[in-house]
Amino acid sequence: MKSVPPPNPHPSKPSYVLPPRSCDAHVHVYGPVARFPYAPDRAYDPPEAPIEKLRDLHRLLGVERAVIVQATVHGIDNRAMLHAIASGSGRYRGVALVPADVSAETLRDLHAQGVRGVRYNFMPHLGKSADTGEVRAVAERIAPLGWHVQVHVTAAHLPQIRGFLESLPVPFVIDHMGRPMVRDGLNQPALADLLDVLRHPRAWVKISGAERISARLSAQATPYADAVPFVRRILDVAPDRTVWGTDWPHPNVREVPDDGKLVDLLPLYADDPAALERVLVSNPDRLYWYE
């Protein structure tokens, strides 16, 4: 089983000061394993990354709210994620992994505990891609709750599932910008496909994973700054349907980033502070705190 490194043990304090109520809309928690065991069929084996470590990081970064996305290492056992949400006094929301036959009662219970979406994988390296029929059935069950479907998919694969996504009765959120690799340039078909999908009124995107798409990695004076033009294209198309996240503790990355440096990319993404306020505060309000 593949092992992954721990998060950066000494993240820097960012120079950029986040606005009040800023939300890190994509993080995971792992363990503690003695209380919340990993799934035996997991694709990778990470060190523990419990909620206490995440809180310490967010204090350093100036993050006040977060969305905890159920980690595949825990499978459909959402207890670690729910435990983390419960510790946040309303500052945390969650995105769950659920079985195809999840009941309406279970979904209502998850909603009461702070869950606002379900996530599906279309990334072969993490296992079999989701069955679209099952996703549609769950989407119909979550629609009355105001939830969304979050999809882990590459932009290059979007044309194959675009019609399906646009037919869902709920919003859909694309993880990690769909990973259009910087080395392939701004004119690559994958980025064009992503931007085209983002013109749909129910399409959202997370501008997380700059370290995943960067061509130069931390060798840059400003790490991952070559991802900035890609984010700017996204914000030109969907400024009101974009949220930001660190992806802490950074599973399956080429190198573990300094989260403070990820925050310092934010002012490069938009010239207008109001545009960043939407990404960090008001857009997450609408997607996760709509009550």
Side-chain angles (χ1 to χ4, degrees):
M1 185 180 299
K2 178 183 177 182
S3 295
V4 299
N8 190 312
H10 304 293
S12 61
K13 185 174 179 61
S15 300
Y16 175 66
V17 178
L18 291 164
R21 300 180 62 249
S22 285
C23 177
D24 182 346
H26 195 100
V27 296
H28 308 284
V29 291
Y30 305 146
V33 175
R35 184 173 181 185
F36 307 116
Y38 293 156
D41 59 348
R42 63 192 180 277
Y44 59 97
D45 201 30
E48 290 186 354
I51 185 60
E52 292 80 8
K53 289 186 177 181
L54 178 61
R55 280 202 298 264
D56 289 344
L57 173 69
H58 280 166
R59 277 193 290 268
L60 175 71
L61 302 182
V63 170
E64 295 185 17
R65 300 185 296 170
V67 178
I68 301 165
V69 178
Q70 171 70 357
T72 58
V73 297
H74 282 292
I76 60 172
D77 180 355
N78 292 286
R79 289 179 299 156
M81 182 261 292
L82 294 172
H83 166 72
I85 294 173
S87 73
S89 301
R91 294 182 295 113
Y92 299 146
R93 288 289 188 258
V95 175
L97 297 180
V98 299
D101 61 352
V102 62
S103 67
E105 180 181 7
T106 296
L107 293 171
R108 287 193 297 270
D109 181 59
L110 289 171
H111 184 87
Q113 296 182 74
V115 173
R116 295 296 179 266
V118 289
R119 191 190 198 201
Y120 290 98
N121 168 54
F122 292 90
M123 301 289 286
H125 75 278
L126 291 176
K128 183 181 178 182
S129 290
D131 179 276
T132 55
E134 293 178 356
V135 177
R136 184 182 303 282
V138 173
E140 291 171 354
R141 270 172 259 155
I142 66 174
L145 299 171
W147 290 16
H148 61 272
V149 166
Q150 181 173 322
V151 290
H152 194 192
V153 62
T154 64
H157 186 62
L158 276 173
Q160 299 176 46
I161 62 171
R162 176 178 179 174
F164 160 71
L165 292 174
E166 293 180 352
S167 72
L168 292 175
V170 297
F172 58 94
V173 182
I174 299 167
D175 276 354
H176 307 320
M177 300 183 270
R179 303 192 189 193
M181 302 305 290
V182 167
R183 66 173 179 264
D184 296 326
L186 286 169
N187 294 322
Q188 63 180 283
L191 179 60
D193 288 334
L194 171 68
L195 297 177
D196 204 28
V197 169
L198 289 178
R199 292 182 175 91
H200 191 277
R202 289 197 304 279
W204 289 67
V205 66
K206 293 188 177 186
I207 51 170
S208 53
E211 75 282 2
R212 294 181 181 274
I213 72 170
S214 174
R216 295 175 60 195
L217 300 179
S218 59
Q220 297 170 273
T222 302
Y224 322 124
D226 57 353
V228 169
F230 290 73
V231 175
R232 282 179 168 260
R233 291 278 181 95
I234 289 169
L235 291 176
D236 284 344
V237 171
D240 297 317
R241 288 174 281 109
T242 299
V243 294
W244 168 83
T246 60
D247 193 27
W248 186 91
H250 308 288
N252 299 306
V253 291
R254 292 172 291 168
E255 68 172 23
V256 177
D258 175 344
D259 293 279
K261 300 299 184 185
L262 297 180
V263 172
D264 279 336
L265 285 175
L266 283 164
L268 304 180
Y269 291 158
D271 299 322
D272 181 4
L276 286 180
E277 192 279 341
R278 285 196 294 271
V279 170
L280 295 166
V281 182
S282 57
N283 290 352
D285 279 347
R286 290 166 42 232
L287 191 58
Y288 303 108
W289 280 272
Y290 45 80
E291 290 86 351

